[in-house]
Each structure stands twice: as C-alpha cells, then as structure tokens.
Amino acid sequence: MAPSLAGVSCLVTGAGGFLGQRVVELLLAEEEALAEIRLMDLAFSPKLLKTCDEYCGKTKLQLLKGDIQDAEFLMRACHGLSLVIHTAAIIDTLGTVPTEKLMGVNVRGTQLLLDACIENSVKYYVYTSSLEVLGPNSRGDPVINGSEDLVYESTNHFPYAQSKSMAEKCVLQANGQKLNNGASLVTCALRCMYIFGEESQFLSVLLDGAINNGDVFQRYSRKEAAVNPSYVGNVAWAHIQAAKAMKDPERVARIAGRFYYISDDTPHMSYSDLNFELGRGLGFGVESKMRLPLPLMYVLAFVLEMLSLLLSPFMRYVPPTNRHLINLQNTPFTFSYKNAQKDFDYKPRYSWEDAKQITTKWLASQVPLRKEFLKHHKKR
C-alpha cells in the first residue's frame, strides 16, 4: 500500500509564504484527509484566508499567527502533532536584512522548532533548505547535473547562505534524537533550486523592471550560465512526498538524516532567459547581452561593497548588487532529482509546459495592474 498522510496532524511554518501556501493547498487536496493542518506565519494572504474559509473537507484547519523565534508559542503550536513541514525563512540575496535578524529567524527559529518537536514528541520534520548551502563558490566552479554525492568546495560566506547551511546542519544532526515518548525524531532537508511560479514576489519585482525598461527584461545572467529553476507546485509536492515516505517503514531509513536536491523538468537555462520564456507570450523581450562585461561587474560590486563597509560606522548602505549575487546569476549550476525519485517517489507533478502556462497567465493578470501602479508612481 502506498504511504499516506491520512489522520496525520501537521504544522506548516511559513504557511503564508510563496511555497508554504502551495504546500497547504496540496495537503488539502490529498485523497486521504489529514486530521489537522496548523498554518503558522506572521501574516496570511487574502487568498489563503479565503481558501481556509471556503474549505469544506474533513481536515481541521487552524491559523496560528506568531513568531518562529517565540519558544513558548512554538511549544503550544507543536502540541499533539506528528509532522512539521518547516518552510519559514528570510530569503535575502542582497544583504538588506541585518545578519542578527537573519540568523535569528533562519537558524535560531529552526532550532527552537526542533526543540519544540522533541518536547512534544513530534516524530517527523521536513525542512526547506536551499541550493545556496552548497554554492556556487566564490570561484564560480560550475556543476552540471550534480547529485547528493558531489564533492564541491563551498566558499560561500554570504549571510543568507550561511544561515541556511547552519539551519540544515541543525536539522540533519537532530535526526535520531530521542523524543519525550521514547520514539526517535526523523528529519530530512530538501535543497531547493530557485523557485518560480504564480504569485512570486521576485517575479513581480522583475516584471516592474521590465515594464520600466520598455517591456524588456534586463539581462543579469550570461546565456551560457544554465541553472534549473523549479516550479513552486513541484517543490511543494516534493515536501509532501518526503513526509509520506517518512511514515513508510521500508523507506524511512533511506531518507532519515539526509538532504536531497529538488528540481523538476524545467529546461536548463539562465535566470534571464527564464524570465523571457515566462514573458515572451505577453510580448516581453530580453536584452541580448549584459550591459557591462562580467569582470567589470565584479569590480563594480567590490567597490560598492567596500563603500558599504566604510560607511557602516555612520549609516547602513546596501549596494544594489554584490559579488555573491553576480556569481549566483552567472555560474552554470544544475542538479538532478533522481535520488529524490528513487528514495521517496518524487517526480514533478506539473510539466514545464503546464508550469509556464500557469505562470504566464498570472503574469498576464499582473501586467495592467503593475503598469497602472508604476504610471501613478512616476507622477508622484
């Protein structure tokens, strides 16, 4: 019999976020209903609140508004659960968030949630990790169809990447810890690629930039810097498949305490060319080449970083780009999901064509709204 989440009580952290909402939607669509889903975040979108209000299934829904750094709140939130799917995190590739806050949410929050699981005997813990745990490194060493066995020298010291690496380590090291009821904690981490899809804030920002640029996306990435972005619905589905496998006695030993790369069948392409593929049906173009040669971009980023450092005693200046981000956007870096497929039956739920169509349809609904907003913003 295929593993099932029937009767499971689950907490989804970051349930108001881009990925968390999709995890919740797919959990509600399960053929065999969960007993309860607790949705935890600091805020919830109108769409998610409407979904909860209109839901008429067997699963009990509970909204929990609170901070991942509040230990007492987490203890209450985890009482009576058997599964936690931890998607909550601050994502920051520009360095806009103070490091202390980043570490507090991404690392301390993850550890506090582990502590609450142990105290409340929550047996299963699925963690949303990031490809940036591995790299790319500062040399820009490429990876093509990498696997979990890859030996790669990671030299990435950017705060966000460090916070995800530290949090992932906490999660995987906690695997096997004794719970209060005498059972053992089962954990795994899913290293996700760049996630795209409808309602992506990143896509909204890029869309604004393209509109301001005459409906042409700026080229931030070399065409040959192929990566494998993944559709949000597929990444959410991987979390659910991992959770199901944890309840399967034959599979749990294979995935316990391990990390997995989660990608899908989106064609390998640069980030800039992904934007074009999603927007071309709406008449958007993409610049044929980068505005500055890559070596000059690194030099400019270095100068801006030094300026930020010099100004730090007097004011906080966040450069519009940095060497880490340039490296991230311009290093060929692709990974296979074969081990996830082998160990917990993950395979993309949505094809590339379906994902592109859904995302483009959403972009089409946003274009007139964003153009109107930007038009009035310029008048001010």
Side-chain angles (χ1 to χ4, degrees):
M1 182 181 294
S4 165
L5 295 178
V8 166
S9 294
C10 173
L11 171 70
V12 179
T13 71
F18 177 45
L19 174 61
Q21 288 190 62
R22 293 305 296 268
V23 171
V24 171
E25 289 171 7
L26 290 176
L27 286 172
L28 292 177
E30 281 291 290
E31 292 182 5
E32 298 183 72
L34 284 75
E36 180 181 10
I37 304 173
R38 298 176 192 172
L39 290 68
M40 177 185 155
D41 214 322
L42 288 172
F44 302 98
S45 69
K47 179 187 175 186
L48 182 63
L49 293 173
K50 183 179 179 182
T51 298
C52 293
D53 287 341
E54 295 178 350
Y55 178 70
C56 299
K58 298 178 181 179
T59 301
K60 177 184 176 182
L61 298 180
Q62 184 179 2
L63 295 174
L64 300 176
K65 189 175 181 179
D67 191 342
I68 193 72
Q69 298 178 83
D70 186 338
E72 292 185 7
F73 170 74
L74 291 179
M75 286 293 176
R76 296 192 300 271
C78 289
H79 180 72
L81 296 178
S82 54
L83 167 67
V84 162
I85 298 178
H86 179 31
T87 76
I90 295 176
I91 301 173
D92 181 27
T93 56
L94 277 176
T96 57
V97 179
T99 300
E100 183 179 347
K101 181 177 180 180
L102 196 68
M103 294 294 176
V105 171
N106 292 358
V107 183
R108 184 170 180 268
T110 297
Q111 184 59 59
L112 288 174
L113 187 59
L114 284 166
D115 295 341
C117 286
I118 291 169
E119 181 69 23
N120 286 279
S121 299
V122 181
K123 188 171 178 61
Y124 307 110
Y125 191 112
V126 180
Y127 173 65
T128 308
S129 189
S130 168
L131 183 60
E132 289 191 50
V133 168
L134 182 74
N137 59 28
S138 58
R139 294 192 302 271
D141 292 334
V143 173
I144 307 299
N145 283 328
S147 72
E148 290 76 4
D149 298 325
L150 173 70
V151 177
Y152 185 86
E153 185 182 357
S154 179
T155 59
N156 194 342
H157 301 300
F158 200 74
Y160 169 68
Q162 282 191 320
S163 74
K164 294 301 286 185
S165 178
M166 294 166 67
E168 181 189 276
K169 187 175 181 180
C170 290
V171 170
L172 299 184
Q173 287 183 340
N175 182 71
Q177 284 195 23
K178 291 297 180 184
L179 306 177
N180 264 359
N181 64 0
S184 296
L185 180 64
V186 178
T187 70
C188 78
L190 306 184
R191 290 186 181 176
C192 304
M193 311 293 116
Y194 168 74
I195 307 173
F196 73 91
E198 66 278 18
E199 299 186 47
S200 164
Q201 291 184 355
F202 288 119
L203 272 179
S204 293
V205 171
L206 292 166
L207 181 64
D208 285 353
I211 292 170
N212 282 328
N213 194 39
D215 290 351
V216 177
F217 287 102
Q218 292 186 33
R219 180 168 289 281
Y220 298 103
S221 308
R222 299 180 299 149
K223 195 172 186 65
E224 60 269 28
V227 293
N228 50 342
S230 301
Y231 178 60
V232 61
N234 290 327
V235 178
W237 182 239
H239 285 69
I240 293 169
Q241 290 298 92
K244 287 180 178 179
M246 284 179 164
K247 292 179 60 32
D248 186 339
E250 295 181 3
R251 299 182 187 180
V252 65
R254 294 206 298 266
I255 70 172
R258 292 190 58 186
F259 70 85
Y260 290 89
Y261 292 114
I262 302 300
S263 57
D264 61 12
D265 295 329
T266 300
H268 295 185
M269 67 185 91
S270 75
Y271 291 111
S272 293
D273 289 298
L274 172 69
N275 300 333
F276 174 54
E277 286 298 325
L278 296 174
R280 67 191 303 178
L282 305 177
F284 283 82
V286 64
E287 294 173 343
S288 60
K289 61 182 181 179
M290 297 167 68
R291 296 185 174 185
L292 293 174
L294 193 55
L296 185 56
M297 290 180 65
Y298 278 113
V299 172
L300 178 60
F302 175 74
V303 171
L304 292 175
E305 289 171 34
M306 292 303 101
L307 178 61
S308 177
L309 184 63
L310 290 171
L311 291 174
S312 59
F314 314 103
M315 61 177 287
R316 179 170 171 78
Y317 166 65
V318 179
T321 190
N322 54 66
R323 286 170 294 169
H324 164 72
L325 182 57
I326 294 171
N327 208 35
L328 196 67
Q329 294 172 330
N330 288 282
T331 301
F333 220 55
T334 62
F335 291 81
S336 168
Y337 62 81
K338 285 184 178 179
N339 281 336
Q341 185 175 34
K342 174 172 66 74
D343 287 355
F344 54 89
D345 282 346
Y346 164 71
K347 58 181 179 180
R349 187 181 176 108
Y350 303 88
S351 70
W352 157 239
E353 289 302 324
D354 287 342
K356 181 168 64 170
Q357 182 179 11
I358 295 168
T359 307
T360 299
K361 182 179 179 181
W362 172 76
L363 284 173
S365 72
Q366 296 301 299
V367 169
L369 300 176
R370 300 311 303 166
K371 286 190 173 182
E372 187 67 21
F373 172 80
L374 292 169
K375 178 181 175 182
H376 286 292
H377 187 70
K378 285 180 179 178
K379 287 182 178 179
R380 294 180 183 178

